[in-house]
Amino acid sequence: MSRMHDLLSAFAPIWTLTAIGYAAGRGRLLGEQAEAVLGRFVFHVAMPAALFMMVSDARLGSFVNATVIAFAAGTVLVSGLGLLVARRFFGRKTADGAISGMASGYVNSANLGIPVAVQVLGDASFVAQVILFQVLVVSPVILTLLDSGTDRVNTHWRAGLRRMLTMPVRNPVIMASLLGVCVSATGLRLPEAFTHSCDLLGSAAVPTALITLGLSLHTRPEPAACAAPVGRAELGTVVALKTLVQPLIAFAVGGPLLLDLDGPQLLAVVLCSALPTAQNAFIYAGQYGLDTTLARNSVVASTVVSMATLSLAAWALGPSHG
């Protein structure tokens, strides 16, 4: 009972901030353009600041280990499956398929993963490695697919190659992550005034993204031209991939059949894999001019379902059962 209470406490800020955003949208408190403006603020300003500080403070040498490999296997397989299903069965193009793949496999590691890990595992160190993997490996792949999939101009292959090579410069999320890697690798000590400013700015990323998500619940997203509406089957597939298939793959890879992780490590891998879709999927879809319906509904629905799947994982693999 205590563990369930701890999980509910971890979810409380998400529901509270999303509800505040919904109330603000319903009351027209922030104006008609609030969702678009706040989304741009998160993507171009607050999120890059948060990622830069997160990566620059990280120890990259401990990034690759068996637990990260088990988590990565689930993420890569499920994200690829989400992209494949979106294109083959629901007729989505590359960019929308990338959002579907992201909604299927990109976990809410920061604002939910950390409190859940602290409450259930008593330690959030593995979550930091999950964040690094998603920031340095998964995000660039997703953003590359989005960038290429939303390029409406048919260009020569050289221009396309140039566009791909210059994307880190044009994309603030990737640029901030790369700069963070450089600072971490060189051991550079940044001025305290600068890091404090980045910390303040980065701390606005998660709450603003949740407020933006809440705003979107009151307004019906405008679908992109020629985009098919998102049905229950498509949403259900994404949520099932995220909350059920991804942790099951992580368990299969990390369990005795392959990597044979010990009890606490296996619990950490499965627990992090069972986290719901990150609101980043919604922010990315909005900033690339895509229909945000699937991303928005996946965040909300997977967060509801994950309350059960996280509890099940903690019960099944916890100390009393592991």
Side-chain angles (χ1 to χ4, degrees):
M1 193 68 180
S2 174
R3 182 168 289 172
M4 186 62 180
H5 179 269
D6 291 340
L7 286 174
L8 290 174
S9 298
F11 278 89
I14 294 177
W15 296 124
T16 301
L17 291 175
T18 303
I20 290 173
Y22 175 79
R26 188 175 180 84
R28 300 179 183 275
L29 182 64
L30 302 177
E32 297 294 333
Q33 299 299 316
E35 182 184 335
V37 172
L38 291 178
R40 288 196 295 270
F41 168 74
V42 172
F43 186 81
H44 292 279
V45 181
M47 189 182 295
L51 294 177
F52 171 75
M53 292 306 301
M54 193 181 302
V55 177
S56 63
D57 288 339
R59 295 177 57 189
L60 301 179
S62 59
F63 178 56
V64 179
N65 54 60
T67 51
V68 173
I69 291 173
F71 176 84
T75 300
V76 171
L77 289 174
V78 168
S79 298
L81 188 57
L83 171 62
L84 179 63
V85 168
R87 301 208 59 181
R88 288 289 183 87
F89 294 96
F90 298 108
R92 300 299 176 186
K93 296 183 178 179
T94 300
D96 288 305
I99 291 297
S100 180
M102 185 177 186
S104 301
Y106 199 102
V107 307
N108 190 340
S109 55
N111 61 310
L112 184 56
I114 291 175
V116 166
V118 170
Q119 299 286 2
V120 178
L121 305 172
D123 179 19
S125 59
F126 179 63
V127 179
Q129 298 173 33
V130 168
I131 293 172
L132 275 180
F133 171 73
Q134 294 197 141
V135 169
L136 300 179
V137 179
V138 181
S139 284
V141 174
I142 296 293
L143 290 169
T144 299
L145 290 172
L146 289 173
D147 194 72
S148 61
T150 53
D151 185 5
R152 297 178 176 83
V153 180
N154 293 322
T155 57
H156 190 269
W157 70 269
R158 290 182 180 176
L161 179 61
R162 188 183 309 115
R163 180 179 176 84
M164 184 181 70
L165 293 176
T166 59
M167 192 187 70
V169 179
R170 296 182 288 104
N171 189 295
V173 172
I174 295 180
M175 176 55 68
S177 302
L178 292 176
L179 290 175
V181 169
C182 293
V183 172
S184 176
T186 59
L188 182 65
R189 294 181 61 86
L190 299 172
E192 185 177 352
F194 176 77
T195 57
H196 183 58
S197 299
C198 287
D199 282 332
L200 287 175
L201 192 56
S203 65
V206 168
T208 307
L210 290 172
I211 293 292
T212 308
L213 178 65
L215 287 170
S216 74
L217 293 175
H218 181 257
T219 58
R220 187 179 297 275
E222 296 184 6
C226 302
V230 177
R232 292 182 179 178
E234 187 172 7
L235 175 62
T237 299
V238 169
V239 173
L241 287 172
K242 177 74 235 37
T243 58
L244 295 175
V245 178
Q246 186 173 2
L248 286 174
I249 292 176
F251 175 78
V253 174
L257 292 179
L258 289 175
L259 297 178
D260 196 20
L261 300 174
D262 61 32
Q265 289 180 317
L266 185 59
L267 174 59
V269 169
V270 174
L271 202 69
C272 287
S273 298
L275 290 168
T277 302
Q279 61 269 8
N280 298 33
F282 167 76
I283 296 295
Y284 286 10
Q287 292 310 297
Y288 277 87
L290 303 173
D291 183 2
T292 59
T293 304
L294 178 64
R296 182 196 67 182
N297 292 351
S298 297
V299 172
V300 175
S302 66
T303 301
V304 173
V305 175
S306 69
M307 294 176 68
T309 53
L310 286 168
S311 299
L312 179 61
W315 174 82
L317 300 174
S320 60
H321 291 82

